[in-house]
Structure formats: C-alpha cells, structure tokens
Amino acid sequence: MTTAVDLKAELCRHIGDRRDDVVALLRDFLRIRSVNPPGDMREAADFVRGILDRFGLPHRTVAAREDMPNIIGRWDAARPGRHLVLNGHMDVFPVSDDRLWAAEIEDGRIVARGASDMKTGTLASILTWCLLHPHRDLLCGALTLTVVSDEQSGGRYGTKYLFDEHAEAVSGDCCLNGEPSGLGNLRFMEKGTLRFAMSATGPGGHGGYPHRANNPIQQIVAATQALYDRYHRRLAEMPEDFAAVLRSAESVAAADAILGQGAADNALRITVNAGIIEGGRKATQIPTACTVHVDMRFPVGPDRDRVRGELPALAEEFGCTLAINEDHSYPASSTDPFGEMAGFLRANTRALLGMDAPPVCSLGGTDTRYWRWRGIPAVIVGPSPLSMGTDNEHVTIDEAIAVLKLQVMCAVDYLSVPG
C-alpha cells in the first residue's frame, strides 16, 4: 500500500527528474510583463490556462474586470476529507531595468521581476495542483487552485473579489500560499496596514515673500516628522502569547537570518514609511500644494485602530487634509503557529532541507489574510523575500525547486487525513 511518505518521495523524485522543465516553465512565466499597475493580467492568465490545459484539468475564469481575470480549478480525491486551497497571484511590481524581463540565469539564480514576488510560488501552486491529480485515488478531500490578479494593488479585483463573490468555492479548510517567505521559517503572522495621504494647499507665491503665503511643503514635512516622532518603531501592544513566540530564541534567530538583522525586533513594533512626497516646481517659488503618501504597519493588537483614530487630529494640527486608502488598509492576521499545517511544513522542511522552520512574523502583506480573518489556517511556502521589487530580484534554482517540493509534500500530508 502506498503511504503519504511513499507518495511524497515519488513526487519529489519526479520533480528532480524534471528540474530543467520546471526552470524553463518558470522563466517563460517570468517573461510575461504582468505589471500592476496598470494590472492587465490577460497574457499571464492565458499562460496559466495553457499549463492547466496541457494537464487536461478543468478550470474556470471569473473576473470583476476583464483585464484582471482570476482562475479557479478544483478536483476531488477518492475519499472524503478536508478541502485544501492553493493561492498565488500573477501580478508583479513595475520595473526600472528592462533586463528583468529576460529572466536570465546568472550563477544559479533566475534574475527577473516576479522571481521572488511571486511567480515562483504561484507556479509551485499550479504544478502542485496538477501533479497531485493523477494520485487522487490515494488522497482524501479536495484540492482547489486559485490564481489571482491584483494582489499588488490590494486585492480588490483578486482574492477579495473571490471571497466577495465565490466564497463557497475558495474558502476551504486550509490555505497554502507561495508568497515570498524564505526557507527555514514559518510565517504565522503578518502586520496590518494603514495607507494614507496627507495634503496641504496654499495660494503660492515668490520664495522671497514667505510672509505672503503658507508653504505646503513645510507643513507636510512637519506633519511627516510628527508621524515618525510619535509612532515609528514604537513597541506595539500585542497579545502576550504572540509576543512570547516572536521573542523566543528560535524565532529571533530565524527572522534575523532570513529577513536581515533587526527583523525580529521590528516584528514587535509599529513602523512608518513616507514613500512619496509630491509638491513644488521651482526652488524660488512657494508651492500651491504638497502631498505625502504613507504606509504604516502594525502587529496584531489594538494599535492600528487607535492610531487611525488619532490621525485626523494630527493632520489638522499641521493644516493638512487626510485621505485613507481603504483598498490598502487592513488589520493584521495570524494563524496557529503550532497547528496542523504548520507542523507539516516544519516536518517537511526538516526532511527535505535538514533545517527547522521556527515561527516568525511577515513584514509584508499577503492574500493569506483573507483566509486567516475567517479563522481558516493559512501557511506560506515561498522563496526568499529579500530581493523582491529590486532591480536584482531573483530566485535561486535550488530554492525554486525546494518551494515546489515543499508545497507538494505539505499538500500530500494534508490530503492524506480522512474526513
């Protein structure tokens, strides 16, 4: 009788034998310019559907916008069991260096936009869904694939749309996601966000006549500095059980090793990032307007709601107006770091790579929040996040193959438990 251990070993051998094919497929995916904004994912969706068609598997496309399609596929195993959902997105950051569309291999790395965030993880989910299908007579439950648009711009037309309009198809009992996470850690929590703009205006004038007009740039600079002074790196108020996990020696070591020195401490704190300041046309001219765009991040706890309530008064203090970006503002999310899928990931990481995967906090956001907010466990298995969005974004070939194997192994484990 074939066991889960046997099936995992067989599939990992198969992936190893087809390593070059996986790499070629990933490079083809990475060459598709699925940039968001503007967010047109039709070419990328055609590519994904082409893979599913070659495997002969049924799928459907649903969309709130024609240029932002989302693909859903489901197959059922031979025996009753739980419903596992695989989730990944097709959209990527804009580029400032067109060489990233070549997806060249350099020193064992594929250098390309989306190599980290997140076409490596998305392709792993697609292939996991396809590779397990011939073995469904050995498995229990159901496996659903969701490949979405619009994650980079908040998910309004992607995973959020799926939950708004097709929740019965995509909720499941557990989610496995391939966002950049890095091997050797378990992302059990991710921070919530507040994205907003503060703006100031005035009549403008000559720079030598500051007595004649207010300066919106000066107001925005002062308001931005106040944001940093009051909130940046302030220790968050969070549940002690979460704080204890994040302060544990294994979590600190894993976070700092994978995300850079200081990441573990950062996970415990509120952060402020003023990403864009717009205003003015000439040094000798008092500008008529200035705007700052800000991203704040919050661990699980009450701080996000408290700060949101304080922002209008801060803006008013400096003569500014405030506009919250609701599509990009959301609460923190978490899953049980000692739950079943978390245990599968840690065990499979040890078996495949010889390393543990301690629980850490994500510093960026993922679509797993839509499952976690509903109390559905959601675990992330993806490549290193450190190069995402840079002009040197990359994934090592070994890492890409390991991500695929780990997703396959975790899915087999979950779907081997009878209902």
Side-chain angles (χ1 to χ4, degrees), residues 108-375:
R109 307 180 306 170
I110 306 172
V111 180
R113 175 61 81 235
S116 172
D117 185 14
M118 70 165 290
K119 287 182 177 177
T120 295
T122 298
L123 182 63
S125 296
I126 294 166
L127 293 179
T128 294
W129 191 69
C130 294
L131 290 173
L132 264 60
H133 180 259
H135 305 279
R136 61 196 183 281
D137 59 319
L138 303 174
L139 300 172
C140 310
L143 187 62
T144 288
L145 173 70
T146 59
V147 182
V148 303
S149 299
D150 198 37
E151 192 276 344
Q152 300 286 11
S153 292
R156 178 181 179 186
Y157 301 108
T159 299
K160 183 179 185 299
Y161 165 74
L162 293 185
F163 272 98
D164 287 344
E165 301 296 332
H166 304 277
E168 75 290 344
V170 303
S171 296
D173 299 305
C174 183
C175 175
L176 195 61
N177 172 286
E179 283 275 20
S181 59
L183 304 174
N185 73 108
L186 167 71
R187 301 301 186 92
F188 81 101
M189 184 177 84
E190 59 188 52
K191 289 183 172 183
T193 66
L194 272 179
R195 306 255 179 97
F196 58 92
M198 290 191 297
S199 300
T201 60
H206 190 286
Y209 292 71
H211 59 287
R212 297 273 297 168
N214 62 297
N215 188 312
I217 289 180
Q218 185 274 328
Q219 291 170 252
I220 289 298
V221 168
T224 302
Q225 188 61 55
L227 277 173
Y228 275 88
D229 291 343
R230 296 178 194 183
Y231 301 117
H232 186 51
R233 295 193 54 76
R234 192 174 81 185
L235 198 62
E237 182 183 338
M238 60 191 306
E240 184 51 41
D241 55 342
F242 284 142
V245 171
L246 295 176
R247 290 192 181 106
S248 67
E250 62 173 5
S251 178
V252 171
D256 285 356
I258 293 167
L259 300 175
Q261 193 68 31
D265 182 65
N266 184 24
L268 301 167
R269 299 180 183 275
I270 300 168
T271 59
V272 177
N273 184 64
I276 304 171
I277 294 182
E278 303 168 307
R281 298 188 177 202
K282 192 174 181 180
T284 57
Q285 189 176 22
I286 297 173
T288 58
C290 185
T291 298
V292 61
H293 299 268
V294 181
D295 171 54
M296 296 185 69
R297 304 267 168 163
F298 303 84
V300 170
D303 292 288
R304 178 183 173 277
D305 289 342
R306 181 184 303 126
V307 171
R308 180 168 182 155
E310 294 169 356
L311 286 178
L314 186 147
E316 184 179 5
E317 179 182 343
F318 294 94
C320 303
T321 60
L322 174 72
I324 304 289
N325 183 337
E326 300 292 355
D327 285 342
H328 281 278
S329 297
Y330 49 81
S333 67
S334 63
T335 198
D336 183 358
F338 308 108
E340 182 183 32
M341 183 57 86
F344 289 150
L345 175 58
R346 295 186 78 166
N348 286 321
T349 300
R350 284 192 293 268
L352 182 68
L353 304 174
M355 63 174 71
D356 193 15
V360 303
C361 175
S362 295
L363 302 181
T366 74
D367 277 352
T368 58
R369 65 184 182 271
Y370 293 104
W371 282 268
R372 292 173 175 176
W373 288 339
R374 290 163 174 80

